[in-house]
Amino acid sequence: MIEDWLIIGKIVSPQGLKGELRILSYSDFPERFEDAGKRWIAPSEKVEPQEVQMLSGREVAGKKNLFVVRLEGINDCDQAEALRNYVMMIPTSDRPYLEPNEYMIADLVGCNVYHQDTGKLLGEVISIISAGNDLLEVRNPENAEIELIPFVEAIAPFVDINQKRIEVTPPKGLIDKWL
């Protein structure tokens, strides 16, 4: 069952000529890309993943959320290139305990964002950008424009992961053109 898996990152490119892979982390737990052990990969989140053995990993200096990993059986650039855009997963049973008002990036992506005062659908979260504060990357359904909305309690006071709903109270000027 696909819902039994949690996406922790995406393979973005080969690294060098010996089969290492660059992975963009969707996780707040760097050890998932540094500690050897079982991982699972798939060409998309809709495909049942295959088990792989991660042999090693390290964070790329100066690049937040970017790691270089070595997977068993991937020994050259061509094999690594074939895995570009694959997602890396772990079983949901490995999901960490979260405090209230803490969310997994994978849970936020796909949520609908509504203006709290008007109830208007502003769009869907397509990504999270890690900055000083996380930013929701929201695609407007009417014109496909993308807007960044700070994911802080003052602006996003209501989050219901089960209903895939986020309500925002953006300050004047942030998304006025969408209202």
Side-chain angles (χ1 to χ4, degrees):
M1 303 281 300
I2 301 306
E3 52 274 351
D4 293 337
W5 299 97
L6 177 66
I7 297 173
I8 60 170
K10 181 178 183 177
I11 298 171
V12 293
S13 69
Q15 168 76 24
L17 301 175
K18 296 186 178 180
E20 290 184 312
L21 301 158
R22 282 184 172 231
I23 296 186
L24 178 62
S25 169
Y26 297 162
S27 173
D28 287 332
F29 303 95
E31 60 272 13
R32 290 187 171 156
F33 304 99
E34 296 171 336
D35 298 344
K38 290 181 188 175
R39 304 295 188 281
W40 291 262
I41 59 172
S44 80
E45 65 275 357
K46 295 177 173 62
V47 177
E48 194 72 25
Q50 302 172 5
E51 183 179 311
V52 295
Q53 186 69 25
M54 192 175 92
L55 303 174
S56 64
R58 66 187 183 281
E59 189 167 16
V60 175
K63 301 280 185 176
K64 186 174 180 177
N65 296 330
L66 190 63
F67 292 82
V68 173
V69 302
R70 176 170 294 287
L71 300 179
E72 186 175 72
I74 307 301
N75 299 312
D76 64 42
C77 187
D78 291 336
Q79 290 174 316
E81 180 62 42
L83 297 178
R84 184 187 292 263
N85 294 321
Y86 271 55
V87 291
M88 184 173 278
M89 302 177 185
I90 60 169
T92 54
S93 59
D94 288 352
R95 182 185 191 114
Y97 171 78
L98 298 176
E99 295 290 334
N101 296 321
E102 287 185 331
Y103 306 98
M104 301 290 284
I105 290 173
D107 290 341
L108 296 171
V109 173
C111 284
N112 287 317
V113 178
Y114 295 87
H115 189 268
Q116 193 170 51
D117 293 340
T118 65
K120 180 178 181 181
L121 173 64
L122 300 175
E124 179 183 346
V125 177
I126 58 171
S127 183
I128 307 296
I129 297 174
S130 294
N133 290 309
D134 289 336
L135 300 170
L136 301 174
E137 190 173 4
V138 179
R139 180 181 295 130
N140 185 299
E142 295 172 9
N143 57 21
E145 286 184 12
I146 294 175
E147 191 67 55
L148 300 178
I149 300 174
F151 189 59
V152 294
E153 190 171 0
I155 295 174
F158 179 85
V159 179
D160 186 331
I161 295 300
N162 293 327
Q163 292 185 23
K164 301 295 275 180
R165 182 183 184 95
I166 299 172
E167 294 179 7
V168 297
T169 58
K172 185 168 178 51
L174 183 63
I175 56 169
D176 292 350
K177 64 184 176 185
W178 285 11
L179 298 176

